[in-house]
């Protein structure tokens, strides 16, 4: 190091000033059903942050993805060869993904070291998870990875939802029940991203969450026995809705990201409390 820098260090030490500890990066775990637009959302998030001269640290945990539309700093495919795992253990596609993730989780301490090294350079760590959501949320490796991140860094779960597929009240309710189950399983700050608002505006969903009567009216169009179950479920979820952070986003157009980062900072405050 140049002498000037050493001198400054000595002065700081002499005056009792210590350098501010590095601010830990925020880990954003992106989850969602297959086809909800998770990977496109991660691509848009990364591009948005690069545009603001705040490059994120991106981790891909999907071993079966063919082409990643964004550059990943850590890619599970470099460590685990998904097709080889299927052949070697005689597994189907889902079993192959679970086993690949399990093998990767055994080395996750190395990933944590990489994140720690980069904490001065990146404010955000974005984690894209496998397309089959249950592979991550209900497997031991998913829990290990989530808990490892949450024990060291402020971590937020982002549940990406396909708004255009949730216009039916029963489908909407199943999506919300899944979101609720992930919230209780991870016990982390939670944001629901209603994606694909370029196809349909998400205001109908917000209204359903805020106004029980409106949701009941939509349900009255449905005559199946499931609608009765959904009716009672919506009362149960009322408390879940009241504290839920919801953002409408179009990953294709990039709209709604400012609102997303606003909710993200609130979620980080919640984590720190």
């Amino acid at each position: 190091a140049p002498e000037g820098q050493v001198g400054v260090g000595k002065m700081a030490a002499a005056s009792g000033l210590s350098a501010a500890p590095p601010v830990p990066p925020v880990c954003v775990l992106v989850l969602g059903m297959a086809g909800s637009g998770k990977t496109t959302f991660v691509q848009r998030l990364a591009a948005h942050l690069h545009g603001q001269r705040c490059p994120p640290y991106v981790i891909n945990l999907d071993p079966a993805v063919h082409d990643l539309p964004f550059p990943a700093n850590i890619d599970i495919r470099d460590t685990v060869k998904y097709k080889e795992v299927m052949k070697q253990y005689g597994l189907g596609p889902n079993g192959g993904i679970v086993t690949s993730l399990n093998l990767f989780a055994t080395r996750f301490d190395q990933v944590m070291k990489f994140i720690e090294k980069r904490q001065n350079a990146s404010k955000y760590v974005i984690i894209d998870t496998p397309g089959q959501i249950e592979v991550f949320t209900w497997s031991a490796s998913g829990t290990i990875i989530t808990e490892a991140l949450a024990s060291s860094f402020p971590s937020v779960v982002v549940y990406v939802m396909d708004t255009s597929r949730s216009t039916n009240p029963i489908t909407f309710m199943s999506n919300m029940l899944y979101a609720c189950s992930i919230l209780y399983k991870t016990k982390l700050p939670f944001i629901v991203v209603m994606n694909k608002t370029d196809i349909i505006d998400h205001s109908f969903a917000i209204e359903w969450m805020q106004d029980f009567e409106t949701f009941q009216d939509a349900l009255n169009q449905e005559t199946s026995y499931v609608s009765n179950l959904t009716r009672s479920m919506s009362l149960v979820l009322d408390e879940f809705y009241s504290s839920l952070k919801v953002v409408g986003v179009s990953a294709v157009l990039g709209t709604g990201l400012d609102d997303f980062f606003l909710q993200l900072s609130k979620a980080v405050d919640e984590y720190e409390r």
Side-chain angles (χ1 to χ4, degrees):
E3 285 173 42
Q5 285 182 349
V6 175
V8 170
K10 280 181 184 162
M11 277 162 54
S15 61
L17 291 172
S18 59
V23 178
V26 175
C27 292
V28 181
L29 269 159
V30 182
L31 303 171
M33 303 277 185
S36 60
K38 282 188 302 301
T39 302
T40 314
F41 177 66
V42 169
Q43 177 191 16
R44 180 59 73 177
L45 266 189
H48 180 81
L49 289 167
H50 275 290
Q52 295 195 331
R53 304 273 165 89
C54 175
Y57 196 70
V58 185
I59 300 174
N60 169 47
L61 291 182
D62 190 349
V65 66
H66 207 273
D67 295 308
L68 265 191
F70 51 82
N73 299 76
I74 295 178
D75 193 336
I76 186 172
R77 297 175 304 168
D78 298 337
T79 312
V80 186
K81 298 285 176 265
Y82 162 70
K83 288 199 170 154
E84 293 301 316
V85 169
M86 278 171 66
K87 265 187 214 156
Q88 196 177 336
Y89 297 98
L91 299 165
N94 278 10
I97 295 174
V98 172
T99 308
S100 300
L101 208 58
N102 288 347
L103 293 168
F104 189 72
T106 61
R107 299 196 189 173
F108 205 73
D109 56 313
Q110 294 172 28
V111 175
M112 297 294 286
K113 282 179 190 144
F114 281 124
I115 297 174
E116 276 160 21
K117 276 185 197 159
R118 278 294 300 267
Q119 61 185 7
N120 290 329
S122 297
K123 260 174 77 177
Y124 298 99
V125 177
I126 304 173
I127 298 114
D128 191 20
T129 56
Q132 279 70 13
I133 185 171
E134 66 285 356
V135 163
F136 190 81
T137 49
W138 301 107
S139 69
S141 48
T143 308
I144 290 166
I145 290 170
T146 308
E147 287 179 359
L149 291 166
S151 64
S152 303
F153 309 107
S155 302
V156 176
V157 173
V158 172
Y159 180 74
V160 181
M161 189 171 141
D162 184 341
T163 316
S164 62
R165 294 266 177 93
S166 303
T167 50
N168 175 305
I170 292 176
T171 318
F172 173 78
M173 177 55 72
S174 358
N175 237 323
M176 284 297 144
L177 283 171
Y178 210 101
C180 188
S181 71
I182 294 169
L183 170 72
Y184 284 114
K185 189 163 193 304
T186 58
K187 299 182 184 69
L188 286 172
F190 197 83
I191 301 173
V192 171
V193 165
M194 296 201 163
N195 194 14
K196 308 191 185 180
T197 54
D198 49 300
I199 300 173
I200 183 164
D201 189 64
H202 70 298
S203 52
F204 76 90
I206 301 284
E207 202 177 342
W208 282 353
M209 286 181 189
Q210 290 171 348
D211 185 356
F212 179 75
E213 301 293 325
T214 317
F215 186 66
Q216 295 303 316
D217 292 344
L219 262 183
N220 289 337
Q221 320 288 313
E222 303 286 332
T223 49
S224 67
Y225 75 95
V226 183
S227 62
N228 291 331
L229 174 66
T230 308
R231 194 168 274 114
S232 45
M233 280 296 182
S234 60
L235 280 169
V236 174
L237 286 184
D238 208 35
E239 195 180 336
F240 170 64
Y241 291 155
S242 62
S243 57
L244 192 62
K245 297 174 183 63
V246 182
V247 188
V249 165
S250 164
V252 171
L253 302 178
T255 49
L257 286 184
D258 292 336
D259 192 17
F260 171 76
F261 279 102
L262 185 71
Q263 295 293 351
L264 187 59
S265 65
K266 285 183 189 170
V268 171
D269 292 344
E270 191 183 308
Y271 171 89
E272 283 163 356
R273 279 206 301 274

